Amino acid sequence: MADKRDYYEVLGVDKGADEATIKKAYRSLAKKYHPDMNPGDKDAELKFKEVNEAYDVLSDADKRAKYDQFGHAAFDPAAGGAGGGFGGFGDFGDIFSSFFGGGFGGFGGGGRANGPVRGDDIGARVSVTFEEAAFGVKKEISYNRVSRCPDCSGSGAAKGSSAETCQKCHGSGQMRVVQRLGGMQFQSTTTCDSCRGRGKIIRTPCNNCRGTGFIRINKKLEVSIPAGIDDGERIALRGQGNDGRNGGSAGDLILQVTVKPHPIFERDGYHIYCEVPIPVTDAILGAEIEIPTLEGTAKHTIPEGTQPGTKFTVRGKGIPYINNSARRGDLVFRVNVEIPRSLSDKQKEQVRAFASGCAETNYGKKSGFFKRIFEKLNKN
Protein backbone atom coordinates (compact mmCIF):
# COMPACT_ATOMS: atom_id res chain seq x y z
CA MET A 1 0.00 0.00 0.00
CA ALA A 2 3.04 2.28 0.26
CA ASP A 3 2.75 3.37 -3.39
CA LYS A 4 -0.76 4.72 -2.96
CA ARG A 5 -1.17 8.49 -2.73
CA ASP A 6 -3.22 10.07 0.02
CA TYR A 7 -6.85 10.26 -1.14
CA TYR A 8 -7.18 13.90 -0.04
CA GLU A 9 -4.04 14.70 -2.05
CA VAL A 10 -5.46 12.87 -5.08
CA LEU A 11 -8.57 15.08 -5.08
CA GLY A 12 -6.64 18.18 -4.05
CA VAL A 13 -8.81 18.92 -0.98
CA ASP A 14 -8.14 19.47 2.72
CA LYS A 15 -8.92 16.78 5.29
CA GLY A 16 -11.72 18.94 6.66
CA ALA A 17 -13.35 19.41 3.23
CA ASP A 18 -17.12 19.08 3.18
CA GLU A 19 -19.13 16.81 0.89
CA ALA A 20 -19.83 19.54 -1.70
CA THR A 21 -16.13 20.48 -1.99
CA ILE A 22 -15.13 16.84 -2.44
CA LYS A 23 -17.79 16.27 -5.09
CA LYS A 24 -16.80 19.44 -6.99
CA ALA A 25 -13.13 18.43 -6.98
CA TYR A 26 -14.00 14.92 -8.13
CA ARG A 27 -16.15 16.17 -11.03
CA SER A 28 -13.42 18.47 -12.26
CA LEU A 29 -10.71 15.79 -12.14
CA ALA A 30 -12.95 13.02 -13.51
CA LYS A 31 -13.70 15.15 -16.55
CA LYS A 32 -10.03 16.09 -16.96
CA TYR A 33 -8.80 12.48 -16.95
CA HIS A 34 -11.85 10.73 -18.44
CA PRO A 35 -10.82 8.16 -21.10
CA ASP A 36 -13.22 9.73 -23.61
CA MET A 37 -11.35 13.02 -23.28
CA ASN A 38 -7.91 11.32 -23.40
CA PRO A 39 -8.14 8.44 -25.88
CA GLY A 40 -5.13 6.14 -25.69
CA ASP A 41 -3.53 8.05 -22.80
CA LYS A 42 -2.56 5.36 -20.26
CA ASP A 43 -1.37 7.91 -17.71
CA ALA A 44 -4.74 9.70 -17.81
CA GLU A 45 -6.51 6.33 -17.49
CA LEU A 46 -4.54 5.50 -14.33
CA LYS A 47 -5.25 8.93 -12.87
CA PHE A 48 -8.95 8.53 -13.69
CA LYS A 49 -9.02 5.25 -11.76
CA GLU A 50 -7.11 6.84 -8.88
CA VAL A 51 -9.56 9.77 -8.73
CA ASN A 52 -12.57 7.41 -8.72
CA GLU A 53 -11.02 5.27 -6.00
CA ALA A 54 -10.37 8.32 -3.82
CA TYR A 55 -13.88 9.69 -4.35
CA ASP A 56 -15.48 6.32 -3.60
CA VAL A 57 -13.92 6.39 -0.13
CA LEU A 58 -14.15 10.10 0.72
CA SER A 59 -17.76 10.45 -0.48
CA ASP A 60 -18.93 7.69 1.88
CA ALA A 61 -19.12 8.81 5.53
CA ASP A 62 -18.35 5.35 6.96
CA LYS A 63 -15.47 4.64 4.59
CA ARG A 64 -14.05 8.12 5.12
CA ALA A 65 -14.09 7.67 8.90
CA LYS A 66 -12.22 4.36 8.55
CA TYR A 67 -9.72 5.93 6.15
CA ASP A 68 -9.11 8.88 8.48
CA GLN A 69 -8.36 6.43 11.29
CA PHE A 70 -6.41 3.68 9.53
CA GLY A 71 -5.40 5.15 6.16
CA HIS A 72 -5.16 2.79 3.16
CA ALA A 73 -4.81 -0.19 5.52
CA ALA A 74 -8.53 0.16 6.28
CA PHE A 75 -9.26 -1.30 2.82
CA ASP A 76 -6.38 -3.74 2.53
CA PRO A 77 -7.45 -7.29 3.52
CA ALA A 78 -3.79 -8.27 3.89
CA ALA A 79 -3.41 -5.61 6.57
CA GLY A 80 -6.48 -6.74 8.48
CA GLY A 81 -8.40 -3.65 7.39
CA ALA A 82 -12.10 -2.93 7.56
CA GLY A 83 -12.96 -3.68 3.95
CA GLY A 84 -11.70 -4.76 0.56
CA GLY A 85 -12.41 -1.72 -1.58
CA PHE A 86 -15.40 -0.83 -3.73
CA GLY A 87 -16.79 -3.52 -5.94
CA GLY A 88 -13.75 -5.77 -5.80
CA PHE A 89 -13.09 -9.43 -5.18
CA GLY A 90 -9.73 -10.33 -3.73
CA ASP A 91 -8.13 -13.74 -3.88
CA PHE A 92 -10.79 -16.44 -4.19
CA GLY A 93 -9.59 -18.03 -0.97
CA ASP A 94 -10.09 -14.71 0.82
CA ILE A 95 -13.76 -14.76 -0.13
CA PHE A 96 -14.32 -18.06 1.61
CA SER A 97 -12.20 -17.10 4.59
CA SER A 98 -14.56 -14.15 5.01
CA PHE A 99 -17.43 -16.62 5.06
CA PHE A 100 -15.86 -19.19 7.34
CA GLY A 101 -12.79 -17.64 8.92
CA GLY A 102 -13.96 -15.34 11.66
CA GLY A 103 -14.57 -11.66 12.12
CA PHE A 104 -14.65 -10.35 8.54
CA GLY A 105 -17.99 -10.67 6.77
CA GLY A 106 -19.95 -11.57 9.89
CA PHE A 107 -19.72 -15.36 9.73
CA GLY A 108 -17.28 -16.06 12.51
CA GLY A 109 -16.65 -14.73 15.99
CA GLY A 110 -19.52 -14.21 18.35
CA GLY A 111 -22.46 -14.98 16.02
CA ARG A 112 -24.45 -18.19 16.14
CA ALA A 113 -22.72 -20.67 13.82
CA ASN A 114 -25.97 -22.14 12.50
CA GLY A 115 -28.05 -18.97 12.50
CA PRO A 116 -29.00 -17.18 9.24
CA VAL A 117 -26.48 -14.52 8.23
CA ARG A 118 -27.12 -11.88 5.57
CA GLY A 119 -24.74 -11.84 2.61
CA ASP A 120 -22.27 -9.04 1.94
CA ASP A 121 -23.08 -6.00 -0.17
CA ILE A 122 -20.95 -5.70 -3.28
CA GLY A 123 -20.25 -2.89 -5.70
CA ALA A 124 -20.11 -2.38 -9.44
CA ARG A 125 -19.90 0.54 -11.83
CA VAL A 126 -21.88 1.53 -14.90
CA SER A 127 -20.98 4.23 -17.40
CA VAL A 128 -23.66 6.27 -19.20
CA THR A 129 -23.64 9.21 -21.60
CA PHE A 130 -24.73 12.69 -20.57
CA GLU A 131 -28.04 12.27 -22.43
CA GLU A 132 -28.66 8.81 -20.96
CA ALA A 133 -28.20 10.24 -17.47
CA ALA A 134 -30.60 13.06 -18.29
CA PHE A 135 -33.42 10.97 -19.73
CA GLY A 136 -32.81 7.52 -18.23
CA VAL A 137 -31.73 4.30 -19.90
CA LYS A 138 -31.64 0.54 -19.47
CA LYS A 139 -28.16 -0.97 -19.24
CA GLU A 140 -26.96 -4.55 -19.07
CA ILE A 141 -24.21 -4.95 -16.51
CA SER A 142 -21.96 -7.88 -15.71
CA TYR A 143 -20.48 -8.46 -12.27
CA ASN A 144 -19.16 -11.19 -9.97
CA ARG A 145 -21.03 -12.40 -6.90
CA VAL A 146 -20.80 -15.24 -4.38
CA SER A 147 -23.69 -17.68 -4.84
CA ARG A 148 -24.83 -20.85 -3.09
CA CYS A 149 -23.40 -23.91 -4.76
CA PRO A 150 -26.15 -25.50 -6.89
CA ASP A 151 -24.72 -29.00 -6.46
CA CYS A 152 -24.93 -29.07 -2.64
CA SER A 153 -27.46 -26.25 -2.07
CA GLY A 154 -24.94 -24.47 0.09
CA SER A 155 -24.29 -27.31 2.55
CA GLY A 156 -20.73 -27.95 1.35
CA ALA A 157 -21.29 -31.72 1.50
CA ALA A 158 -21.16 -33.97 -1.54
CA LYS A 159 -24.39 -35.46 -2.88
CA GLY A 160 -25.47 -38.43 -0.80
CA SER A 161 -23.71 -37.15 2.31
CA SER A 162 -24.36 -34.49 4.91
CA ALA A 163 -22.43 -32.28 7.29
CA GLU A 164 -21.93 -33.62 10.83
CA THR A 165 -22.27 -31.67 14.03
CA CYS A 166 -18.85 -30.74 15.37
CA GLN A 167 -18.17 -32.82 18.49
CA LYS A 168 -15.62 -30.41 19.88
CA CYS A 169 -17.95 -27.40 20.14
CA HIS A 170 -21.24 -29.38 19.92
CA GLY A 171 -22.37 -27.31 16.96
CA SER A 172 -21.96 -23.90 18.57
CA GLY A 173 -18.89 -22.94 16.54
CA GLN A 174 -17.28 -21.57 19.71
CA MET A 175 -15.14 -22.84 22.53
CA ARG A 176 -14.71 -21.62 26.07
CA VAL A 177 -11.13 -21.13 27.18
CA VAL A 178 -10.27 -20.94 30.90
CA GLN A 179 -7.05 -19.29 32.01
CA ARG A 180 -5.64 -18.87 35.49
CA LEU A 181 -3.55 -15.89 36.48
CA GLY A 182 -2.38 -15.07 39.99
CA GLY A 183 -4.87 -17.37 41.60
CA MET A 184 -7.75 -15.88 39.56
CA GLN A 185 -9.69 -17.67 36.85
CA PHE A 186 -10.55 -15.95 33.53
CA GLN A 187 -12.97 -17.31 30.97
CA SER A 188 -13.15 -16.25 27.30
CA THR A 189 -14.79 -17.49 24.12
CA THR A 190 -12.93 -18.27 20.91
CA THR A 191 -13.74 -19.74 17.51
CA CYS A 192 -13.65 -23.52 17.44
CA ASP A 193 -10.41 -24.60 15.77
CA SER A 194 -11.91 -27.90 14.62
CA CYS A 195 -14.81 -26.58 12.53
CA ARG A 196 -13.51 -23.00 12.16
CA GLY A 197 -16.68 -21.60 13.65
CA ARG A 198 -19.11 -23.40 11.35
CA GLY A 199 -20.43 -25.80 13.97
CA LYS A 200 -20.30 -28.61 11.43
CA ILE A 201 -17.69 -30.95 9.99
CA ILE A 202 -17.81 -31.99 6.34
CA ARG A 203 -16.30 -35.44 5.83
CA THR A 204 -17.00 -35.63 2.09
CA PRO A 205 -16.82 -32.17 0.57
CA CYS A 206 -18.68 -31.16 -2.56
CA ASN A 207 -16.38 -31.21 -5.58
CA ASN A 208 -17.99 -28.16 -7.17
CA CYS A 209 -17.42 -25.76 -4.25
CA ARG A 210 -14.61 -27.69 -2.48
CA GLY A 211 -16.76 -27.96 0.64
CA THR A 212 -17.35 -24.23 1.10
CA GLY A 213 -21.00 -24.29 0.02
CA PHE A 214 -20.44 -21.24 -2.20
CA ILE A 215 -19.05 -20.48 -5.63
CA ARG A 216 -18.21 -17.27 -7.43
CA ILE A 217 -20.29 -16.65 -10.55
CA ASN A 218 -20.59 -13.94 -13.17
CA LYS A 219 -24.07 -12.51 -13.40
CA LYS A 220 -25.65 -10.35 -16.08
CA LEU A 221 -28.42 -8.00 -15.08
CA GLU A 222 -30.50 -5.36 -16.87
CA VAL A 223 -30.65 -2.22 -14.79
CA SER A 224 -32.91 0.81 -15.17
CA ILE A 225 -30.91 4.04 -14.76
CA PRO A 226 -33.43 6.71 -13.67
CA ALA A 227 -33.72 10.01 -15.53
CA GLY A 228 -31.88 12.84 -13.81
CA ILE A 229 -29.18 10.77 -12.12
CA ASP A 230 -25.87 12.57 -11.60
CA ASP A 231 -22.25 11.51 -11.85
CA GLY A 232 -21.05 9.58 -8.80
CA GLU A 233 -24.53 8.76 -7.48
CA ARG A 234 -25.38 5.21 -6.44
CA ILE A 235 -28.28 2.83 -7.02
CA ALA A 236 -28.97 0.06 -4.50
CA LEU A 237 -30.29 -3.15 -6.07
CA ARG A 238 -31.77 -5.15 -3.22
CA GLY A 239 -30.88 -8.84 -2.97
CA GLN A 240 -28.43 -8.79 -5.89
CA GLY A 241 -25.29 -9.01 -3.73
CA ASN A 242 -23.61 -12.07 -2.22
CA ASP A 243 -25.85 -14.91 -1.01
CA GLY A 244 -26.27 -15.28 2.74
CA ARG A 245 -25.35 -18.27 4.86
CA ASN A 246 -27.73 -20.69 6.57
CA GLY A 247 -30.74 -19.31 4.75
CA GLY A 248 -29.77 -15.68 5.32
CA SER A 249 -30.91 -13.11 2.77
CA ALA A 250 -28.62 -11.92 0.01
CA GLY A 251 -26.80 -8.61 0.30
CA ASP A 252 -27.29 -5.70 -2.08
CA LEU A 253 -25.53 -4.64 -5.25
CA ILE A 254 -24.46 -1.01 -4.95
CA LEU A 255 -24.16 0.39 -8.45
CA GLN A 256 -22.12 3.57 -8.87
CA VAL A 257 -22.96 5.63 -11.94
CA THR A 258 -20.27 7.38 -13.97
CA VAL A 259 -21.53 10.01 -16.42
CA LYS A 260 -19.31 10.69 -19.43
CA PRO A 261 -18.41 14.35 -20.03
CA HIS A 262 -20.40 16.20 -22.71
CA PRO A 263 -18.53 18.13 -25.42
CA ILE A 264 -20.83 21.16 -25.08
CA PHE A 265 -22.78 21.11 -21.82
CA GLU A 266 -21.70 21.41 -18.20
CA ARG A 267 -24.07 20.32 -15.45
CA ASP A 268 -24.67 21.89 -12.05
CA GLY A 269 -27.52 20.25 -10.18
CA TYR A 270 -30.45 20.13 -12.60
CA HIS A 271 -29.29 23.11 -14.70
CA ILE A 272 -27.03 22.82 -17.75
CA TYR A 273 -24.70 25.46 -19.15
CA CYS A 274 -23.02 26.07 -22.50
CA GLU A 275 -21.43 28.77 -24.65
CA VAL A 276 -22.84 29.81 -28.04
CA PRO A 277 -20.70 31.75 -30.56
CA ILE A 278 -22.53 34.45 -32.55
CA PRO A 279 -21.36 36.86 -35.30
CA VAL A 280 -20.75 40.44 -34.22
CA THR A 281 -23.51 41.56 -36.62
CA ASP A 282 -26.07 39.41 -34.76
CA ALA A 283 -24.95 40.97 -31.49
CA ILE A 284 -25.29 44.48 -32.94
CA LEU A 285 -28.61 44.09 -34.75
CA GLY A 286 -30.22 41.28 -32.78
CA ALA A 287 -31.18 38.00 -34.40
CA GLU A 288 -32.92 34.67 -34.10
CA ILE A 289 -30.06 32.25 -33.44
CA GLU A 290 -29.80 28.48 -33.24
CA ILE A 291 -28.87 27.05 -29.83
CA PRO A 292 -28.08 23.47 -28.71
CA THR A 293 -30.41 21.60 -26.34
CA LEU A 294 -30.46 18.05 -25.01
CA GLU A 295 -33.14 17.21 -27.60
CA GLY A 296 -31.33 18.81 -30.56
CA THR A 297 -31.29 22.45 -31.70
CA ALA A 298 -33.81 25.21 -31.04
CA LYS A 299 -34.38 28.85 -32.04
CA HIS A 300 -33.83 31.70 -29.60
CA THR A 301 -34.09 35.45 -30.18
CA ILE A 302 -31.41 37.75 -28.83
CA PRO A 303 -31.96 41.53 -28.69
CA GLU A 304 -29.95 44.15 -30.56
CA GLY A 305 -26.94 45.46 -28.70
CA THR A 306 -26.24 42.12 -27.00
CA GLN A 307 -22.90 42.34 -25.20
CA PRO A 308 -20.22 39.62 -25.13
CA GLY A 309 -20.73 37.24 -22.21
CA THR A 310 -24.45 37.97 -21.85
CA LYS A 311 -26.32 35.00 -20.39
CA PHE A 312 -29.76 33.83 -21.50
CA THR A 313 -31.95 31.32 -19.67
CA VAL A 314 -34.27 28.85 -21.40
CA ARG A 315 -36.69 27.51 -18.81
CA GLY A 316 -37.36 23.78 -18.55
CA LYS A 317 -34.63 22.67 -20.97
CA GLY A 318 -32.24 21.32 -18.36
CA ILE A 319 -32.05 17.97 -16.55
CA PRO A 320 -35.29 16.24 -15.44
CA TYR A 321 -35.64 15.97 -11.68
CA ILE A 322 -34.96 12.44 -10.49
CA ASN A 323 -38.22 10.59 -9.72
CA ASN A 324 -40.18 13.58 -11.12
CA SER A 325 -39.43 13.83 -14.84
CA ALA A 326 -42.28 16.32 -15.33
CA ARG A 327 -40.07 18.94 -13.67
CA ARG A 328 -36.82 20.06 -15.29
CA GLY A 329 -33.99 22.45 -14.65
CA ASP A 330 -33.00 25.25 -17.02
CA LEU A 331 -30.59 25.68 -19.92
CA VAL A 332 -28.32 28.69 -19.48
CA PHE A 333 -26.21 29.75 -22.45
CA ARG A 334 -23.63 32.52 -22.67
CA VAL A 335 -22.99 34.28 -25.98
CA ASN A 336 -19.45 34.58 -27.25
CA VAL A 337 -19.38 37.42 -29.78
CA GLU A 338 -17.07 36.44 -32.63
CA ILE A 339 -15.03 39.14 -34.40
CA PRO A 340 -14.48 38.46 -38.13
CA ARG A 341 -10.93 37.88 -39.39
CA SER A 342 -9.13 38.20 -42.74
CA LEU A 343 -11.32 41.05 -44.03
CA SER A 344 -10.86 42.29 -47.57
CA ASP A 345 -9.89 45.91 -48.22
CA LYS A 346 -13.47 46.72 -49.19
CA GLN A 347 -14.81 45.15 -45.99
CA LYS A 348 -12.31 47.10 -43.89
CA GLU A 349 -13.40 50.33 -45.58
CA GLN A 350 -17.01 49.53 -44.80
CA VAL A 351 -16.14 48.88 -41.15
CA ARG A 352 -14.28 52.22 -40.95
CA ALA A 353 -17.28 54.00 -42.41
CA PHE A 354 -19.52 52.30 -39.88
CA ALA A 355 -17.18 53.22 -37.00
CA SER A 356 -17.01 56.87 -38.05
CA GLY A 357 -20.79 57.03 -38.09
CA CYS A 358 -21.08 55.85 -34.48
CA ALA A 359 -21.29 58.43 -31.69
CA GLU A 360 -19.91 58.16 -28.16
CA THR A 361 -23.45 57.49 -26.95
CA ASN A 362 -23.39 54.21 -28.89
CA TYR A 363 -20.68 52.96 -26.52
CA GLY A 364 -22.07 53.36 -23.02
CA LYS A 365 -19.38 51.31 -21.28
CA LYS A 366 -16.50 53.11 -22.99
CA SER A 367 -17.78 56.62 -22.28
CA GLY A 368 -18.70 55.70 -18.72
CA PHE A 369 -15.28 54.17 -18.16
CA PHE A 370 -13.36 57.30 -19.19
CA LYS A 371 -15.83 59.52 -17.37
CA ARG A 372 -15.02 57.75 -14.11
CA ILE A 373 -11.28 58.08 -14.79
CA PHE A 374 -11.52 61.85 -15.42
CA GLU A 375 -13.65 62.33 -12.31
CA LYS A 376 -11.04 60.48 -10.26
CA LEU A 377 -8.19 62.57 -11.71
CA ASN A 378 -10.03 65.84 -11.07
CA LYS A 379 -10.64 64.91 -7.43
CA ASN A 380 -6.96 64.28 -6.95
Side-chain angles (χ1 to χ4, degrees), residues 94-129:
D94 292 338
I95 297 173
F96 295 120
S97 69
S98 74
F99 273 73
F100 307 119
F104 188 86
F107 292 117
R112 291 189 301 117
N114 297 317
V117 182
R118 182 181 181 273
D120 288 338
D121 294 341
I122 55 177
R125 297 183 187 274
V126 62
S127 180
V128 297
T129 66

Short mmCIF file of all heavy atoms in Angstrom, two decimals, residues 94-129:
data_model
loop_
_atom_site.label_atom_id
_atom_site.label_comp_id
_atom_site.label_asym_id
_atom_site.label_seq_id
_atom_site.Cartn_x
_atom_site.Cartn_y
_atom_site.Cartn_z
N ASP A 94 -9.71 -15.74 -0.14
CA ASP A 94 -10.09 -14.71 0.82
C ASP A 94 -11.59 -14.59 0.94
O ASP A 94 -12.12 -14.25 1.98
CB ASP A 94 -9.51 -13.35 0.41
CG ASP A 94 -7.99 -13.35 0.53
OD1 ASP A 94 -7.47 -14.19 1.28
OD2 ASP A 94 -7.36 -12.51 -0.12
N ILE A 95 -12.30 -14.84 -0.18
CA ILE A 95 -13.76 -14.76 -0.13
C ILE A 95 -14.31 -15.79 0.85
O ILE A 95 -15.15 -15.49 1.70
CB ILE A 95 -14.36 -15.03 -1.53
CG1 ILE A 95 -13.90 -13.93 -2.49
CG2 ILE A 95 -15.88 -15.10 -1.46
CD1 ILE A 95 -14.31 -14.20 -3.92
N PHE A 96 -13.80 -17.00 0.75
CA PHE A 96 -14.32 -18.06 1.61
C PHE A 96 -13.83 -17.91 3.04
O PHE A 96 -14.51 -18.31 3.99
CB PHE A 96 -13.96 -19.43 1.05
CG PHE A 96 -14.63 -19.68 -0.27
CD1 PHE A 96 -13.89 -19.92 -1.41
CD2 PHE A 96 -16.00 -19.61 -0.37
CE1 PHE A 96 -14.50 -20.13 -2.62
CE2 PHE A 96 -16.63 -19.83 -1.59
CZ PHE A 96 -15.88 -20.08 -2.71
N SER A 97 -12.65 -17.32 3.21
CA SER A 97 -12.20 -17.10 4.59
C SER A 97 -13.08 -16.05 5.25
O SER A 97 -13.29 -16.07 6.45
CB SER A 97 -10.73 -16.64 4.60
OG SER A 97 -10.59 -15.35 4.06
N SER A 98 -13.64 -15.14 4.43
CA SER A 98 -14.56 -14.15 5.01
C SER A 98 -15.87 -14.80 5.41
O SER A 98 -16.56 -14.34 6.31
CB SER A 98 -14.82 -13.02 4.01
OG SER A 98 -15.67 -13.43 2.98
N PHE A 99 -16.22 -15.90 4.70
CA PHE A 99 -17.43 -16.62 5.06
C PHE A 99 -17.22 -17.52 6.28
O PHE A 99 -18.07 -17.62 7.15
CB PHE A 99 -17.88 -17.50 3.89
CG PHE A 99 -18.76 -16.79 2.92
CD1 PHE A 99 -18.25 -15.84 2.06
CD2 PHE A 99 -20.12 -17.06 2.87
CE1 PHE A 99 -19.06 -15.18 1.17
CE2 PHE A 99 -20.94 -16.40 1.98
CZ PHE A 99 -20.40 -15.46 1.12
N PHE A 100 -16.03 -18.14 6.35
CA PHE A 100 -15.86 -19.19 7.34
C PHE A 100 -14.70 -18.96 8.30
O PHE A 100 -14.44 -19.75 9.18
CB PHE A 100 -15.65 -20.53 6.64
CG PHE A 100 -16.72 -20.83 5.64
CD1 PHE A 100 -16.40 -20.99 4.30
CD2 PHE A 100 -18.04 -20.92 6.04
CE1 PHE A 100 -17.39 -21.26 3.37
CE2 PHE A 100 -19.03 -21.18 5.11
CZ PHE A 100 -18.71 -21.35 3.78
N GLY A 101 -13.98 -17.86 8.09
CA GLY A 101 -12.79 -17.64 8.92
C GLY A 101 -13.14 -17.10 10.29
O GLY A 101 -12.94 -17.73 11.30
N GLY A 102 -13.66 -15.93 10.37
CA GLY A 102 -13.96 -15.34 11.66
C GLY A 102 -13.73 -13.85 11.62
O GLY A 102 -12.70 -13.38 11.20
N GLY A 103 -14.72 -13.11 12.04
CA GLY A 103 -14.57 -11.66 12.12
C GLY A 103 -15.05 -10.99 10.85
O GLY A 103 -16.08 -10.36 10.84
N PHE A 104 -14.33 -11.07 9.77
CA PHE A 104 -14.65 -10.35 8.54
C PHE A 104 -15.86 -10.99 7.86
O PHE A 104 -15.92 -12.18 7.64
CB PHE A 104 -13.45 -10.39 7.60
CG PHE A 104 -13.64 -9.52 6.40
CD1 PHE A 104 -13.31 -8.19 6.47
CD2 PHE A 104 -14.15 -10.04 5.23
CE1 PHE A 104 -13.47 -7.37 5.37
CE2 PHE A 104 -14.32 -9.23 4.14
CZ PHE A 104 -13.99 -7.90 4.21
N GLY A 105 -16.83 -10.16 7.49
CA GLY A 105 -17.99 -10.67 6.77
C GLY A 105 -19.10 -11.16 7.67
O GLY A 105 -20.19 -11.43 7.22
N GLY A 106 -18.88 -11.27 8.96
CA GLY A 106 -19.95 -11.57 9.89
C GLY A 106 -20.25 -13.03 10.09
O GLY A 106 -21.25 -13.37 10.71
N PHE A 107 -19.40 -13.95 9.60
CA PHE A 107 -19.72 -15.36 9.73
C PHE A 107 -18.98 -16.05 10.85
O PHE A 107 -19.23 -17.20 11.14
CB PHE A 107 -19.45 -16.08 8.41
CG PHE A 107 -20.38 -15.67 7.33
CD1 PHE A 107 -19.91 -15.04 6.19
CD2 PHE A 107 -21.74 -15.87 7.45
CE1 PHE A 107 -20.76 -14.65 5.20
CE2 PHE A 107 -22.60 -15.48 6.46
CZ PHE A 107 -22.12 -14.87 5.33
N GLY A 108 -18.00 -15.41 11.43
CA GLY A 108 -17.28 -16.06 12.51
C GLY A 108 -17.48 -15.29 13.79
O GLY A 108 -18.36 -14.48 13.92
N GLY A 109 -16.62 -15.52 14.76
CA GLY A 109 -16.65 -14.73 15.99
C GLY A 109 -17.83 -15.08 16.85
O GLY A 109 -18.18 -16.22 17.06
N GLY A 110 -18.52 -14.01 17.33
CA GLY A 110 -19.52 -14.21 18.35
C GLY A 110 -20.90 -14.59 17.86
O GLY A 110 -21.80 -14.79 18.65
N GLY A 111 -21.13 -14.65 16.50
CA GLY A 111 -22.46 -14.98 16.02
C GLY A 111 -22.76 -16.44 16.19
O GLY A 111 -21.89 -17.27 16.39
N ARG A 112 -24.05 -16.78 16.07
CA ARG A 112 -24.45 -18.19 16.14
C ARG A 112 -24.01 -18.88 14.86
O ARG A 112 -24.34 -18.44 13.76
CB ARG A 112 -25.96 -18.31 16.31
CG ARG A 112 -26.45 -17.85 17.68
CD ARG A 112 -27.91 -18.20 17.89
NE ARG A 112 -28.78 -17.62 16.89
CZ ARG A 112 -29.51 -18.31 16.03
NH1 ARG A 112 -29.46 -19.63 16.03
NH2 ARG A 112 -30.29 -17.71 15.16
N ALA A 113 -23.29 -20.00 14.99
CA ALA A 113 -22.72 -20.67 13.82
C ALA A 113 -23.79 -21.15 12.86
O ALA A 113 -23.58 -21.13 11.65
CB ALA A 113 -21.87 -21.85 14.26
N ASN A 114 -24.94 -21.58 13.35
CA ASN A 114 -25.97 -22.14 12.50
C ASN A 114 -27.12 -21.18 12.24
O ASN A 114 -28.12 -21.55 11.64
CB ASN A 114 -26.52 -23.44 13.12
CG ASN A 114 -25.44 -24.51 13.22
OD1 ASN A 114 -24.67 -24.69 12.28
ND2 ASN A 114 -25.36 -25.19 14.35
N GLY A 115 -26.99 -19.95 12.71
CA GLY A 115 -28.05 -18.97 12.50
C GLY A 115 -27.94 -18.34 11.12
O GLY A 115 -26.86 -18.30 10.52
N PRO A 116 -29.05 -17.84 10.56
CA PRO A 116 -29.00 -17.18 9.24
C PRO A 116 -28.19 -15.90 9.30
O PRO A 116 -28.32 -15.12 10.23
CB PRO A 116 -30.48 -16.90 8.92
CG PRO A 116 -31.17 -16.88 10.25
CD PRO A 116 -30.41 -17.85 11.12
N VAL A 117 -27.34 -15.70 8.30
CA VAL A 117 -26.48 -14.52 8.23
C VAL A 117 -26.64 -13.89 6.86
O VAL A 117 -26.52 -14.56 5.83
CB VAL A 117 -25.00 -14.88 8.47
CG1 VAL A 117 -24.14 -13.62 8.43
CG2 VAL A 117 -24.83 -15.59 9.81
N ARG A 118 -26.92 -12.60 6.83
CA ARG A 118 -27.12 -11.88 5.57
C ARG A 118 -25.81 -11.83 4.78
O ARG A 118 -24.73 -11.70 5.33
CB ARG A 118 -27.60 -10.46 5.87
CG ARG A 118 -27.88 -9.59 4.64
CD ARG A 118 -28.33 -8.20 5.08
NE ARG A 118 -28.64 -7.35 3.95
CZ ARG A 118 -27.76 -6.60 3.30
NH1 ARG A 118 -26.47 -6.63 3.68
NH2 ARG A 118 -28.12 -5.83 2.30
N GLY A 119 -25.91 -11.92 3.47
CA GLY A 119 -24.74 -11.84 2.61
C GLY A 119 -24.17 -10.44 2.52
O GLY A 119 -24.84 -9.46 2.86
N ASP A 120 -22.95 -10.33 2.06
CA ASP A 120 -22.27 -9.04 1.94
C ASP A 120 -22.83 -8.22 0.78
O ASP A 120 -23.24 -8.75 -0.25
CB ASP A 120 -20.77 -9.24 1.71
CG ASP A 120 -20.05 -9.73 2.95
OD1 ASP A 120 -20.59 -9.51 4.05
OD2 ASP A 120 -18.97 -10.33 2.81
N ASP A 121 -22.82 -6.90 0.95
CA ASP A 121 -23.08 -6.00 -0.17
C ASP A 121 -21.85 -5.98 -1.06
O ASP A 121 -20.72 -6.10 -0.59
CB ASP A 121 -23.35 -4.57 0.33
CG ASP A 121 -24.64 -4.46 1.13
OD1 ASP A 121 -25.49 -5.36 1.01
OD2 ASP A 121 -24.79 -3.47 1.87
N ILE A 122 -22.06 -5.82 -2.34
CA ILE A 122 -20.95 -5.70 -3.28
C ILE A 122 -21.19 -4.50 -4.18
O ILE A 122 -22.29 -3.95 -4.22
CB ILE A 122 -20.76 -6.98 -4.12
CG1 ILE A 122 -22.06 -7.34 -4.85
CG2 ILE A 122 -20.29 -8.14 -3.26
CD1 ILE A 122 -21.92 -8.54 -5.76
N GLY A 123 -20.15 -4.08 -4.86
CA GLY A 123 -20.25 -2.89 -5.70
C GLY A 123 -19.89 -3.15 -7.14
O GLY A 123 -19.15 -4.08 -7.47
N ALA A 124 -20.44 -2.33 -8.01
CA ALA A 124 -20.11 -2.38 -9.44
C ALA A 124 -20.29 -0.97 -9.99
O ALA A 124 -20.84 -0.09 -9.32
CB ALA A 124 -21.02 -3.37 -10.18
N ARG A 125 -19.79 -0.77 -11.19
CA ARG A 125 -19.90 0.54 -11.83
C ARG A 125 -20.59 0.40 -13.18
O ARG A 125 -20.48 -0.63 -13.84
CB ARG A 125 -18.52 1.16 -12.04
CG ARG A 125 -17.75 1.44 -10.75
CD ARG A 125 -16.42 2.13 -11.05
NE ARG A 125 -15.60 2.25 -9.85
CZ ARG A 125 -15.69 3.24 -8.98
NH1 ARG A 125 -16.58 4.20 -9.18
NH2 ARG A 125 -14.92 3.28 -7.92
N VAL A 126 -21.28 1.48 -13.57
CA VAL A 126 -21.88 1.53 -14.90
C VAL A 126 -21.63 2.92 -15.47
O VAL A 126 -21.73 3.93 -14.76
CB VAL A 126 -23.39 1.21 -14.85
CG1 VAL A 126 -24.16 2.22 -14.02
CG2 VAL A 126 -23.98 1.13 -16.26
N SER A 127 -21.27 2.96 -16.74
CA SER A 127 -20.98 4.23 -17.40
C SER A 127 -22.10 4.57 -18.37
O SER A 127 -22.55 3.72 -19.14
CB SER A 127 -19.64 4.14 -18.15
OG SER A 127 -19.33 5.36 -18.79
N VAL A 128 -22.58 5.83 -18.31
CA VAL A 128 -23.66 6.27 -19.20
C VAL A 128 -23.26 7.60 -19.84
O VAL A 128 -22.40 8.33 -19.33
CB VAL A 128 -24.99 6.44 -18.44
CG1 VAL A 128 -25.46 5.11 -17.87
CG2 VAL A 128 -24.88 7.48 -17.33
N THR A 129 -23.89 7.92 -20.95
CA THR A 129 -23.64 9.21 -21.60
C THR A 129 -24.40 10.31 -20.85
O THR A 129 -25.29 10.05 -20.03
CB THR A 129 -24.10 9.19 -23.06
OG1 THR A 129 -25.53 9.05 -23.11
CG2 THR A 129 -23.44 8.04 -23.82
#
